[in-house]
Amino acid sequence: MTVAYCCLAVTQSCTSVWGCGGEWTEYLAIASVFLFIIGFAGGAGSIPWLMVSELFVVEARGKASSICVGVNWICSLVILLTYDTIRSNIHPHTFFLYMTICMLALIFVFLFMPETRLKSVEHIRIELRKQAEKFPSFVF
């Protein structure tokens, strides 16, 4: 997704600011949208559906899944409602902002999300608890 946002940002900047746009920017923009859809479906779009079953015990999965999916849809709504405002204020650099947010999310996942392959829910909870103890109490 980050690569797709970067390509979209380059195409937007090429056509608006740098004056190097052309037919290639149109093709790159379309390819970037396809790349974004593939990346979203295989990554950020599936997280509320897959990670909940791995991080929560059976008794809490229903409520946790509802909360995660609700937060996912609310975040999508916020992006939808704020896009025009962001675009009108920082037009040629709109997708650079989204790319930065995507990179920060990727860093967060690499630093804080545990590997869950072949581990029980209890083992994952112990790892998360140990990781949370490293930070001040107001963080988690």
Side-chain angles (χ1 to χ4, degrees), residues 6-7 14-16 18 28 32 38 44-45 51 56-57 76 86 90 92 115-116 126 131 133 135 138:
C6 181
C7 291
C14 273
T15 56
S16 300
W18 301 328
L28 183 60
S32 299
I38 292 168
M51 291 300 292
F56 293 97
V57 293
S76 296
I86 292 171
I90 58 170
E115 176 60 48
T116 59
I126 291 169
Q131 190 174 11
E133 289 173 356
F135 296 95
F138 64 86

Side-chain angles (χ1 to χ4, degrees), residues 66-113:
S66 299
I67 291 170
C68 288
V69 170
V71 168
N72 185 20
W73 280 107
I74 288 170
C75 289
S76 296
L77 179 66
V78 167
I79 291 170
L80 177 73
L81 294 176
T82 59
Y83 174 76
D84 285 335
T85 306
I86 292 171
R87 185 170 183 254
S88 64
N89 289 326
I90 58 170
H91 168 59
H93 310 295
T94 306
F95 290 107
F96 283 118
L97 173 67
Y98 290 133
M99 181 187 70
T100 304
I101 293 169
C102 218
M103 287 174 59
L104 292 173
L106 188 64
I107 291 169
F108 176 83
V109 167
F110 279 125
L111 292 178
F112 297 110
M113 289 301 296

Side-chain angles (χ1 to χ4, degrees), residues 9-38:
V10 166
T11 59
Q12 196 175 40
S13 295
C14 273
T15 56
S16 300
V17 178
W18 301 328
C20 61
E23 191 174 314
W24 68 272
T25 58
E26 296 170 1
Y27 292 124
L28 183 60
I30 291 170
S32 299
V33 170
F34 285 133
L35 183 64
F36 175 82
I37 291 170
I38 292 168

